[in-house]
Protein backbone atom coordinates (compact mmCIF):
# COMPACT_ATOMS: atom_id res chain seq x y z
CA UNK A 1 0.00 0.00 0.00
CA UNK A 2 1.44 3.35 -1.01
CA UNK A 3 2.00 6.04 1.58
CA UNK A 4 -0.45 8.96 1.34
CA UNK A 5 1.05 12.24 0.26
CA UNK A 6 1.80 14.74 3.01
CA UNK A 7 1.30 18.44 2.31
CA UNK A 8 4.46 20.50 2.36
CA UNK A 9 4.01 23.47 4.68
CA UNK A 10 7.58 24.79 4.66
CA UNK A 11 9.33 21.74 6.09
CA UNK A 12 10.06 18.84 3.80
CA UNK A 13 8.84 15.47 5.03
CA UNK A 14 10.37 12.48 3.27
CA UNK A 15 7.80 9.73 2.89
CA UNK A 16 8.61 6.08 3.49
CA UNK A 17 8.41 5.36 -0.26
CA UNK A 18 10.83 8.19 -1.03
CA UNK A 19 13.26 7.12 1.69
CA UNK A 20 13.25 3.49 0.57
CA UNK A 21 13.87 4.56 -3.04
CA UNK A 22 16.93 6.65 -2.15
CA UNK A 23 20.37 5.25 -3.01
CA UNK A 24 22.06 3.96 0.13
CA UNK A 25 25.73 4.60 0.66
CA UNK A 26 27.56 2.44 3.19
CA UNK A 27 29.79 4.24 5.68
CA UNK A 28 32.22 1.81 7.28
CA UNK A 29 35.48 1.73 9.19
CA UNK A 30 37.75 -1.32 9.03
CA UNK A 31 40.43 -1.71 11.68
CA UNK A 32 43.25 -4.24 11.79
CA UNK A 33 46.86 -4.63 12.73
CA UNK A 34 49.52 -3.59 10.19
CA UNK A 35 50.05 -6.17 7.49
CA UNK A 36 46.70 -7.96 7.86
CA UNK A 37 45.68 -6.87 4.34
CA UNK A 38 43.42 -3.84 4.77
CA UNK A 39 44.68 -1.94 1.72
CA UNK A 40 44.48 -5.10 -0.40
CA UNK A 41 40.71 -5.05 0.09
CA UNK A 42 40.64 -2.66 -2.88
CA UNK A 43 41.13 -5.69 -5.12
CA UNK A 44 37.73 -7.01 -3.98
CA UNK A 45 35.97 -3.92 -5.35
CA UNK A 46 36.70 -4.64 -9.02
CA UNK A 47 33.70 -4.38 -11.34
CA UNK A 48 32.68 -6.92 -13.97
CA UNK A 49 33.08 -4.08 -16.49
CA UNK A 50 36.39 -4.07 -18.38
CA UNK A 51 38.54 -1.27 -19.75
CA UNK A 52 39.67 -0.99 -23.37
CA UNK A 53 42.80 -3.00 -22.56
CA UNK A 54 40.72 -5.82 -21.10
CA UNK A 55 41.50 -5.04 -17.45
CA UNK A 56 38.64 -5.13 -14.95
CA UNK A 57 37.36 -1.69 -13.98
CA UNK A 58 37.10 -0.32 -10.44
CA UNK A 59 34.46 2.19 -9.46
CA UNK A 60 36.38 2.97 -6.27
CA UNK A 61 38.51 6.06 -5.71
CA UNK A 62 41.56 5.39 -3.55
CA UNK A 63 42.48 8.21 -1.15
CA UNK A 64 46.10 7.26 -0.47
CA UNK A 65 47.30 9.00 2.68
CA UNK A 66 49.92 6.41 3.63
CA UNK A 67 51.84 6.19 0.34
CA UNK A 68 51.17 2.49 0.78
CA UNK A 69 50.08 1.55 -2.70
CA UNK A 70 52.70 -1.19 -3.10
CA UNK A 71 50.09 -3.63 -1.78
CA UNK A 72 47.85 -2.83 -4.75
CA UNK A 73 50.47 -2.58 -7.49
CA UNK A 74 48.62 -3.09 -10.75
CA UNK A 75 45.20 -2.24 -9.30
CA UNK A 76 43.17 -0.60 -12.12
CA UNK A 77 41.66 2.30 -10.22
CA UNK A 78 42.09 6.05 -9.71
CA UNK A 79 43.95 7.59 -6.78
CA UNK A 80 44.26 10.93 -5.02
CA UNK A 81 47.13 11.73 -2.61
CA UNK A 82 46.42 14.57 -0.16
CA UNK A 83 49.50 15.63 1.81
CA UNK A 84 47.97 18.20 4.20
CA UNK A 85 44.90 18.51 6.39
CA UNK A 86 43.43 21.43 4.36
CA UNK A 87 43.59 19.18 1.28
CA UNK A 88 41.69 16.48 3.19
CA UNK A 89 39.00 19.01 4.10
CA UNK A 90 38.81 20.29 0.52
CA UNK A 91 38.22 16.78 -0.80
CA UNK A 92 35.51 16.13 1.81
CA UNK A 93 33.51 19.21 0.78
CA UNK A 94 34.15 18.52 -2.93
CA UNK A 95 32.59 15.08 -2.74
CA UNK A 96 30.00 15.76 -0.03
CA UNK A 97 28.80 19.19 -1.11
CA UNK A 98 28.21 22.17 1.18
CA UNK A 99 26.57 22.09 4.59
CA UNK A 100 23.88 24.83 4.53
CA UNK A 101 23.94 25.12 8.34
CA UNK A 102 27.48 26.55 8.39
CA UNK A 103 28.68 30.15 8.09
CA UNK A 104 30.78 31.20 5.13
CA UNK A 105 33.90 31.41 7.29
CA UNK A 106 33.61 27.76 8.36
CA UNK A 107 34.95 24.68 6.56
CA UNK A 108 32.38 22.68 4.55
CA UNK A 109 30.23 25.81 4.07
CA UNK A 110 28.80 27.02 0.76
CA UNK A 111 31.72 29.47 0.42
CA UNK A 112 34.24 26.68 1.03
CA UNK A 113 32.50 24.47 -1.54
CA UNK A 114 32.42 27.24 -4.15
CA UNK A 115 36.12 27.98 -3.65
CA UNK A 116 37.04 24.30 -3.98
CA UNK A 117 34.95 23.87 -7.13
CA UNK A 118 36.66 26.90 -8.64
CA UNK A 119 40.03 25.19 -8.12
CA UNK A 120 39.10 21.55 -8.80
CA UNK A 121 36.48 21.99 -11.52
CA UNK A 122 33.08 20.38 -12.00
CA UNK A 123 32.26 18.06 -9.04
CA UNK A 124 30.29 15.75 -11.37
CA UNK A 125 33.68 14.25 -12.26
CA UNK A 126 33.21 12.20 -9.08
CA UNK A 127 29.96 10.65 -10.32
CA UNK A 128 31.91 7.78 -11.87
CA UNK A 129 32.89 6.50 -8.41
CA UNK A 130 30.49 4.70 -6.11
CA UNK A 131 33.06 4.06 -3.36
CA UNK A 132 35.75 6.20 -1.73
CA UNK A 133 38.39 4.10 0.05
CA UNK A 134 40.36 6.19 2.58
CA UNK A 135 43.65 4.68 3.74
CA UNK A 136 44.01 5.52 6.48
CA UNK A 137 42.10 7.35 9.20
CA UNK A 138 45.19 6.86 11.36
CA UNK A 139 47.31 9.02 9.04
CA UNK A 140 44.46 11.50 8.56
CA UNK A 141 44.51 12.00 12.32
CA UNK A 142 48.25 12.69 12.26
CA UNK A 143 47.89 15.25 9.46
CA UNK A 144 45.06 16.89 11.37
CA UNK A 145 47.03 17.09 14.63
CA UNK A 146 50.08 18.52 12.87
CA UNK A 147 47.90 21.26 11.40
CA UNK A 148 46.13 21.89 14.72
CA UNK A 149 49.42 22.48 16.55
CA UNK A 150 50.02 25.57 14.40
CA UNK A 151 46.60 27.14 14.96
CA UNK A 152 45.77 29.90 17.50
CA UNK A 153 43.77 27.41 19.62
CA UNK A 154 47.02 25.56 20.31
CA UNK A 155 48.60 28.52 22.11
CA UNK A 156 47.80 30.09 25.46
CA UNK A 157 46.05 33.46 25.31
CA UNK A 158 47.93 34.64 28.39
CA UNK A 159 51.49 33.47 27.75
CA UNK A 160 51.53 32.71 24.03
CA UNK A 161 53.16 29.35 24.77
CA UNK A 162 51.99 26.08 23.16
CA UNK A 163 48.90 24.63 24.82
CA UNK A 164 48.72 20.91 24.07
CA UNK A 165 45.22 20.62 25.53
CA UNK A 166 44.00 23.32 23.17
CA UNK A 167 45.62 21.48 20.25
CA UNK A 168 43.92 18.21 21.17
CA UNK A 169 40.58 19.97 21.63
CA UNK A 170 40.81 21.49 18.15
CA UNK A 171 41.98 18.15 16.76
CA UNK A 172 38.89 16.40 18.11
CA UNK A 173 36.55 19.00 16.63
CA UNK A 174 38.30 18.93 13.25
CA UNK A 175 38.29 15.14 12.97
CA UNK A 176 34.66 14.78 14.01
CA UNK A 177 33.64 17.52 11.58
CA UNK A 178 35.52 15.83 8.73
CA UNK A 179 34.11 12.38 9.46
CA UNK A 180 30.58 13.69 9.90
CA UNK A 181 30.68 15.57 6.60
CA UNK A 182 31.87 12.47 4.74
CA UNK A 183 29.23 10.41 6.53
CA UNK A 184 26.54 12.67 5.06
CA UNK A 185 27.73 12.01 1.51
CA UNK A 186 24.58 10.28 0.28
CA UNK A 187 24.70 7.77 -2.51
CA UNK A 188 28.39 6.88 -2.11
CA UNK A 189 30.15 4.29 -0.02
CA UNK A 190 32.83 5.77 2.25
CA UNK A 191 35.27 3.19 3.61
CA UNK A 192 37.86 4.21 6.20
CA UNK A 193 40.64 1.86 7.21
CA UNK A 194 42.80 2.26 10.26
CA UNK A 195 45.35 0.55 12.49
CA UNK A 196 44.11 -1.38 15.52
CA UNK A 197 46.21 -1.22 18.68
CA UNK A 198 46.31 -3.91 21.36
CA UNK A 199 46.83 -2.51 24.86
CA UNK A 200 46.46 -3.44 28.52
CA UNK A 201 44.05 -1.48 30.71
CA UNK A 202 44.52 -0.54 34.36
CA UNK A 203 43.43 -4.03 35.40
CA UNK A 204 45.92 -5.73 33.05
CA UNK A 205 43.16 -6.79 30.68
CA UNK A 206 43.74 -6.83 26.94
CA UNK A 207 41.76 -4.20 25.04
CA UNK A 208 41.69 -3.21 21.38
CA UNK A 209 41.49 0.47 20.39
CA UNK A 210 41.77 2.34 17.07
CA UNK A 211 45.13 4.03 16.56
CA UNK A 212 44.04 7.67 16.19
CA UNK A 213 45.66 10.70 17.80
CA UNK A 214 43.47 12.00 20.63
CA UNK A 215 40.73 10.14 22.47
CA UNK A 216 37.69 11.99 21.13
CA UNK A 217 37.78 10.62 17.58
CA UNK A 218 38.15 6.99 18.61
CA UNK A 219 35.30 7.29 21.13
CA UNK A 220 32.84 9.00 18.78
CA UNK A 221 33.68 7.22 15.52
CA UNK A 222 31.45 4.16 16.14
CA UNK A 223 28.46 6.48 16.48
CA UNK A 224 29.20 8.18 13.15
CA UNK A 225 29.67 5.30 10.71
CA UNK A 226 27.20 2.50 9.94
CA UNK A 227 29.64 -0.37 10.17
CA UNK A 228 32.70 -0.93 12.35
CA UNK A 229 34.64 -4.04 11.35
CA UNK A 230 37.78 -5.61 12.71
CA UNK A 231 39.92 -7.48 10.20
CA UNK A 232 41.91 -10.15 11.99
CA UNK A 233 42.91 -13.79 11.87
CA UNK A 234 40.85 -16.59 13.39
CA UNK A 235 41.61 -20.26 13.73
CA UNK A 236 39.55 -22.41 11.40
CA UNK A 237 38.32 -25.96 11.78
CA UNK A 238 41.48 -27.11 10.03
CA UNK A 239 43.61 -25.61 12.81
CA UNK A 240 45.10 -22.95 10.53
CA UNK A 241 44.74 -19.19 10.84
CA UNK A 242 42.51 -17.47 8.31
CA UNK A 243 41.80 -13.78 7.77
CA UNK A 244 38.25 -12.74 8.63
CA UNK A 245 35.94 -9.82 9.38
CA UNK A 246 34.51 -9.54 12.89
CA UNK A 247 31.24 -7.66 12.42
CA UNK A 248 29.13 -7.75 15.59
CA UNK A 249 29.52 -5.76 18.79
CA UNK A 250 29.00 -8.79 21.02
CA UNK A 251 32.05 -10.86 20.22
CA UNK A 252 34.17 -12.99 22.55
CA UNK A 253 37.45 -11.29 21.64
CA UNK A 254 36.54 -7.71 22.55
CA UNK A 255 37.22 -6.41 19.03
CA UNK A 256 35.58 -3.11 18.04
CA UNK A 257 32.66 -3.98 15.78
CA UNK A 258 29.18 -2.76 14.93
CA UNK A 259 26.57 -3.73 12.33
CA UNK A 260 23.85 -1.15 11.84
CA UNK A 261 22.39 -3.08 8.91
CA UNK A 262 21.52 -6.19 10.95
CA UNK A 263 22.47 -8.36 7.98
CA UNK A 264 25.98 -9.52 8.89
CA UNK A 265 27.05 -12.61 10.79
CA UNK A 266 29.56 -12.49 13.62
CA UNK A 267 32.35 -13.65 11.27
CA UNK A 268 32.35 -12.81 7.57
CA UNK A 269 34.82 -13.60 4.81
CA UNK A 270 37.42 -10.83 4.22
CA UNK A 271 35.94 -9.74 0.89
CA UNK A 272 34.76 -6.13 0.99
CA UNK A 273 32.81 -6.31 -2.27
CA UNK A 274 30.68 -9.27 -1.19
CA UNK A 275 30.27 -7.80 2.30
CA UNK A 276 28.82 -4.60 0.82
CA UNK A 277 26.49 -6.64 -1.40
CA UNK A 278 25.23 -8.45 1.70
CA UNK A 279 24.65 -5.16 3.55
CA UNK A 280 22.61 -3.87 0.60
CA UNK A 281 20.63 -7.10 0.37
CA UNK A 282 17.07 -7.59 1.59
CA UNK A 283 16.63 -7.15 5.31
CA UNK A 284 14.96 -9.71 7.52
CA UNK A 285 11.76 -8.59 9.25
CA UNK A 286 12.37 -6.55 12.38
CA UNK A 287 10.83 -9.28 14.54
CA UNK A 288 13.57 -11.65 13.37
CA UNK A 289 16.44 -9.18 13.67
CA UNK A 290 15.61 -7.73 17.07
CA UNK A 291 15.56 -9.67 20.32
CA UNK A 292 13.54 -8.26 23.20
CA UNK A 293 13.40 -11.34 25.41
CA UNK A 294 14.93 -11.57 28.84
CA UNK A 295 18.29 -13.38 28.76
CA UNK A 296 18.50 -16.72 30.53
CA UNK A 297 21.10 -17.22 33.28
CA UNK A 298 24.44 -18.25 31.84
CA UNK A 299 27.95 -18.96 33.02
CA UNK A 300 30.22 -15.91 33.43
CA UNK A 301 31.97 -14.89 30.23
CA UNK A 302 35.66 -15.81 30.03
CA UNK A 303 38.19 -13.04 30.48
CA UNK A 304 40.40 -11.70 27.72
CA UNK A 305 43.36 -13.63 29.12
CA UNK A 306 41.35 -16.84 28.90
CA UNK A 307 40.48 -16.04 25.27
CA UNK A 308 44.16 -15.55 24.51
CA UNK A 309 44.96 -18.97 25.94
CA UNK A 310 42.14 -20.78 24.16
Amino acid sequence: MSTPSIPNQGFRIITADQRLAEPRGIKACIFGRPGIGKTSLLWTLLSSTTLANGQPYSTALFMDLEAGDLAIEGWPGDTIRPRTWPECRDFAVFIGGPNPALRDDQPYSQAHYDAVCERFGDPTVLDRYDTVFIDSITVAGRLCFQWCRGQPDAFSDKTGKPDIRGAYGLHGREMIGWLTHLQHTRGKNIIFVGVLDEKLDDFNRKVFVPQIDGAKTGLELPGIVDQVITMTDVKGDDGHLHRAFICQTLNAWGYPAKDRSGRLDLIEEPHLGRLMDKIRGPAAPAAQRLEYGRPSPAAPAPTNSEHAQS
Side-chain angles (χ1 to χ4, degrees):
M1 184 176 67
S2 61
T3 304
S5 60
I6 301 175
N8 187 344
Q9 298 180 350
F11 189 86
R12 183 189 177 200
I13 295 178
I14 301 172
T15 66
D17 289 340
Q18 292 171 332
R19 177 175 55 82
L20 293 173
E22 288 179 336
R24 292 178 294 162
I26 299 168
K27 310 304 187 292
C29 197
I30 303 174
F31 292 108
R33 68 172 187 269
I36 195 65
K38 301 182 296 297
T39 307
S40 298
L41 292 172
L42 274 169
W43 287 105
T44 71
L45 297 178
L46 293 181
S47 168
S48 58
T49 305
T50 58
L51 299 173
N53 59 6
Q55 282 188 311
Y57 174 69
S58 177
T59 55
L61 177 63
F62 178 33
M63 187 174 182
D64 182 14
L65 294 169
E66 292 199 339
D69 54 358
L70 184 61
I72 56 165
E73 185 177 1
W75 175 71
D78 298 339
T79 303
I80 60 171
R81 293 171 177 159
R83 298 292 302 276
T84 66
W85 180 243
E87 289 177 341
C88 292
R89 295 198 307 189
D90 288 348
F91 175 75
V93 75
F94 190 56
I95 191 172
N99 183 344
L102 300 177
R103 304 185 306 271
D104 283 348
D105 61 334
Q106 293 178 290
Y108 317 117
S109 64
Q110 182 67 52
H112 184 197
Y113 177 72
D114 293 341
V116 168
C117 290
E118 186 175 347
R119 297 201 312 272
F120 293 176
D122 189 350
T124 59
V125 69
L126 298 172
D127 291 348
R128 73 184 76 174
Y129 309 110
D130 60 16
T131 300
V132 179
F133 189 92
I134 301 174
D135 185 14
S136 67
I137 191 174
T138 301
V139 175
R142 293 171 187 162
L143 293 176
C144 179
F145 188 62
Q146 176 65 27
W147 178 84
C148 290
R149 292 186 66 179
Q151 303 307 304
D153 291 34
F155 296 89
S156 170
D157 291 335
K158 295 181 179 179
T159 65
K161 294 182 179 180
D163 179 5
I164 194 67
R165 291 179 300 177
Y168 273 117
L170 178 60
H171 173 266
R173 296 191 298 273
E174 283 287 330
M175 286 296 294
I176 296 303
W178 184 65
L179 292 168
T180 301
H181 194 79
L182 287 170
Q183 193 268 343
H184 281 85
T185 304
R186 294 192 178 275
K188 291 191 185 296
N189 308 309
I190 308 292
I191 309 297
F192 303 95
V193 300
V195 176
L196 187 67
D197 276 344
E198 180 180 321
K199 298 182 178 180
L200 295 176
D201 65 10
D202 295 338
F203 300 97
N204 207 35
R205 297 175 300 191
K206 184 167 59 176
V207 294
F208 298 95
V209 294
Q211 187 185 104
I212 307 174
D213 285 339
K216 184 178 177 67
T217 306
L219 290 173
E220 296 194 22
L221 179 62
I224 296 175
V225 296
D226 302 315
Q227 312 292 137
V228 178
I229 297 166
T230 291
M231 186 176 185
T232 186
D233 49 65
V234 297
K235 186 175 292 187
D237 295 336
D238 57 3
H240 294 91
L241 293 176
H242 301 270
R243 291 185 303 165
F245 286 154
I246 308 299
C247 304
Q248 294 184 7
T249 304
L250 301 179
N251 63 82
W253 306 277
Y255 289 128
K258 164 191 170 182
D259 174 27
R260 187 173 282 169
S261 73
R263 295 174 173 87
L264 302 182
D265 295 326
L266 172 62
I267 300 177
E268 295 281 356
E269 63 174 330
H271 191 290
L272 184 54
R274 288 197 282 267
L275 187 87
M276 292 166 65
D277 289 341
K278 188 172 184 178
I279 292 172
R280 285 189 291 256
Q288 298 180 18
R289 291 186 286 117
L290 303 177
E291 174 59 53
Y292 299 103
R294 183 175 181 177
S296 58
T303 64
N304 282 336
S305 59
E306 291 172 337
H307 286 311
Q309 295 170 5
S310 62

